[in-house]
Amino acid sequence: MELEIKNRAHDKAFATIFSLDNDISRLKQEIKNDSTPFITVEQLEGVLRHTKQQRKVWNYIALLIEKDHERIDYLDIQKQLS
C-alpha cells in the first residue's frame, strides 16, 4: 500500500511538472506573439511569473518524493549526464 501511494505521488508530481512546462511554453509564445485577447500583456506576464513559481514548488515536491522513495533522481541533470 505504501509503495502504491509513493508511486502515485511520484507520477502526480511529474505529470504536474510536465503540465506546468507546457503552460510556461504556451504563455511565453502568447506574450511573444502579443496574442492576449482577454487580458493585457502585463497580466499575462504575471501569470507566467506565477506559473514559473509553481514549477519551482513542484520541482521541490518532486525532489522530496524522489528522496523519500529512493527512485532515480530525474531532477538532477548531472546524474543523468554521467
Side-chain angles (χ1 to χ4, degrees):
M1 178 69 170
E2 184 177 329
L3 181 60
E4 180 183 349
I5 295 299
K6 287 183 177 186
N7 284 336
R8 286 180 183 215
H10 176 271
D11 293 347
K12 180 163 184 83
F14 280 93
T16 302
I17 288 170
F18 180 78
S19 177
L20 289 168
D21 285 343
N22 286 336
D23 289 345
I24 289 168
S25 294
R26 178 185 49 79
L27 289 165
K28 285 180 177 179
Q29 192 62 42
E30 288 178 5
I31 290 169
K32 179 181 175 185
N33 295 341
D34 195 23
S35 59
T36 59
F38 303 110
I39 63 175
T40 66
V41 172
E42 291 79 17
Q43 290 171 321
L44 196 58
E45 288 169 344
V47 173
L48 177 59
R49 280 191 303 277
H50 175 76
T51 306
K52 286 180 176 181
Q53 187 64 36
Q54 288 298 307
R55 172 63 166 86
K56 289 178 183 178
V57 169
W58 276 100
N59 195 56
Y60 179 70
I61 291 169
L63 181 64
L64 293 176
I65 291 169
E66 292 272 301
K67 287 181 179 179
D68 179 59
H69 197 13
E70 298 177 356
R71 291 184 64 158
I72 298 169
D73 188 355
Y74 297 105
L75 302 174
D76 189 341
I77 299 300
Q78 295 303 322
K79 286 183 182 177
Q80 291 180 22
L81 298 176
S82 300

